[in-house]
């Protein structure tokens, strides 16, 4: 298991133990993301979009594994919900 950046660990430490454990397990490792992403920003974007729901951490982590730029875009839109069928069902 790869280590998370300090800022991510601090953020998870401030959340519930159950959520933090789930998020650590679900967040993608640096090697799982295509190209060379701004890794820490991608993880923060996933956590922003998930808003404390581990199911959404799983969803946005899967999306980031396909194209991490999507989660950065969605998070930059003031955490607005993604458009057109990209929400988990």
């Amino acid at each position: 298991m790869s280590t998370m950046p300090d800022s991510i660990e601090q953020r998870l430490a401030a959340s519930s133990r159950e959520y933090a454990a789930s998020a650590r397990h679900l967040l993608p490792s640096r090697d799982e993301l295509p190209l060379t992403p701004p890794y820490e920003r991608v993880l923060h974007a996933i956590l922003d979009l998930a808003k404390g729901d581990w199911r959404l951490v799983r969803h946005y982590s899967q999306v980031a594994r396909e194209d991490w730029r999507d989660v950065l875009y969605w998070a930059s839109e003031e955490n607005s919900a993604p458009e057109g069928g990209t929400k988990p069902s």
Side-chain angles (χ1 to χ4, degrees):
M1 183 162 105
S2 66
T3 58
M4 293 284 150
D6 288 342
S7 65
I8 299 298
E9 285 295 344
Q10 290 170 359
R11 194 166 167 177
L12 293 175
S15 60
S16 75
R17 186 174 295 180
E18 180 182 344
Y19 175 74
S22 295
R24 280 186 192 94
H25 177 73
L26 295 168
L27 286 168
S29 70
R30 191 178 302 270
D31 296 337
E32 291 179 291
L33 300 178
L35 306 171
T36 307
Y39 183 60
E40 198 165 344
R41 276 185 56 213
V42 171
L43 298 183
H44 279 290
I46 291 169
L47 294 176
D48 288 344
L49 291 165
K51 296 182 177 162
D53 184 335
W54 67 265
R55 291 171 293 256
L56 292 176
V57 172
R58 179 178 55 205
H59 171 72
Y60 291 116
S61 293
Q62 289 170 340
V63 170
R65 286 179 179 99
E66 293 175 26
D67 191 339
W68 51 267
R69 296 169 294 186
D70 288 336
V71 295
L72 289 183
Y73 175 75
W74 295 328
S76 72
E77 294 295 313
E78 299 178 356
N79 295 327
S80 62
E83 306 268 337
T86 55
K87 293 180 185 177
S89 50

